[in-house]
Amino acid sequence: MTTLNAMTILVAVLFAGLGLAVGFARTLRFFTKGIFGFILSIFVCVTFGGMIAGIPGVAALIDKINNALTDAWSFLGKIHLETVIYYVLLFFAVQIVRILIVKFLGGIFSANNTAVRTVNRILGMILMVAAVFLLLLLFFGVLKIFESTQFVQDFLAKIDGSFLGTLYDINPVRFVTEGAADEAAMLLFLM
C-alpha cells in the first residue's frame, strides 16, 4: 500500500469519525446551507430542469410566456427570456423545497431518543464520507477540464497508481467533452 493510499484511508476514517460525532442532522444542515446549498440547488435545476420543462402543463406555460414576451417586444422572444424566467423560478422553488426537506429531516433526527440518536450517528458517518467523496469527484471533474495544463499533469503524475488516480480515471463526472476541454484550457492559458 502506498503512502497516498494510506493517507486517503486515514482521511476517510477521520471524516467518518467526524460524521459519527456530529450526526446526520448537523451534517445534512452543513452540506445544504450556504454555498453548498446554492450549488446543490443549481445542480438540481440543471439536472432536472429540462425534464420538468417537458411536462405538458409546464411546456404550455413556458410557450404562453414566450408568446406574451414576443408580442410585447420581438427581441425578447429571440433571446428566449422565458427560459431564463423559468430557470430562475425553478431555482427559487428548489431552494424552498430544499430548506423544507432539511428542516423536516433535521427535526426528525434531532429527537432525544436513544434509537434515533444511534441512527443519527450512523447516518451522519455515512453522509459525511459520501458528501466528501462527491466533492472529490466534482473536483476531479473540474481538473478534467484543464487536463492539458502542466499543473494538472504534475498532479496526475503524483497520484498515478493510487486509489485517487484510479478514481480520477473512472470518474463519472464530466463537465465537457474531450475537444471542449482542450479549448477551455487554451482559453485559460490566453487569459
Side-chain angles (χ1 to χ4, degrees):
M1 178 183 301
T2 66
T3 306
L4 186 58
N5 284 340
M7 288 175 48
T8 303
I9 292 171
L10 179 64
V11 169
V13 168
L14 289 174
F15 276 119
L18 180 63
L20 185 67
V22 299
F24 179 78
R26 288 171 64 190
T27 303
L28 182 67
R29 286 184 191 119
F30 175 78
F31 281 111
T32 57
K33 274 189 172 180
I35 190 70
F36 288 128
F38 188 79
I39 291 170
L40 180 66
S41 295
I42 290 174
F43 176 77
V44 169
C45 289
V46 169
T47 304
F48 300 108
M51 183 175 60
I52 295 170
I55 296 172
V58 176
L61 183 62
I62 291 172
D63 285 340
K64 188 183 296 184
I65 292 171
N66 184 35
N67 291 336
L69 290 173
T70 305
D71 290 343
W73 194 19
S74 63
F75 173 72
L76 295 176
K78 292 182 184 189
I79 63 170
H80 297 287
L81 186 61
E82 79 283 356
T83 305
V84 174
I85 292 170
Y86 163 72
Y87 276 102
V88 167
L89 291 175
L90 181 64
F91 174 77
F92 285 118
V94 168
Q95 286 279 77
I96 290 169
V97 168
R98 177 186 57 83
I99 291 169
L100 291 174
I101 289 173
V102 169
K103 288 209 181 280
F104 176 73
L105 289 176
I108 288 174
F109 285 102
S110 295
N112 195 11
N113 180 334
T114 305
V116 172
R117 279 193 308 244
T118 303
V119 170
N120 183 31
R121 302 288 177 148
I122 293 170
L123 288 178
M125 180 177 62
I126 294 168
L127 178 62
M128 181 68 79
V129 172
V132 171
F133 181 75
L134 289 175
L135 288 173
L136 181 65
L137 289 178
L138 289 174
F139 174 72
F140 282 167
V142 170
L143 282 184
K144 192 72 138 173
I145 295 171
F146 305 105
E147 194 171 45
S148 61
T149 63
Q150 186 61 39
F151 171 76
V152 175
Q153 290 297 320
D154 292 343
F155 176 74
L156 293 177
K158 290 177 183 173
I159 66 170
D160 190 38
S162 68
F163 169 74
L164 293 176
T166 304
L167 187 62
Y168 180 84
D169 291 337
I170 62 170
N171 186 6
V173 177
R174 302 265 189 256
F175 291 117
V176 292
T177 61
E178 295 301 322
D182 293 335
E183 292 172 13
M186 182 58 87
L187 287 174
L188 183 67
F189 176 73
L190 293 175
M191 291 179 164

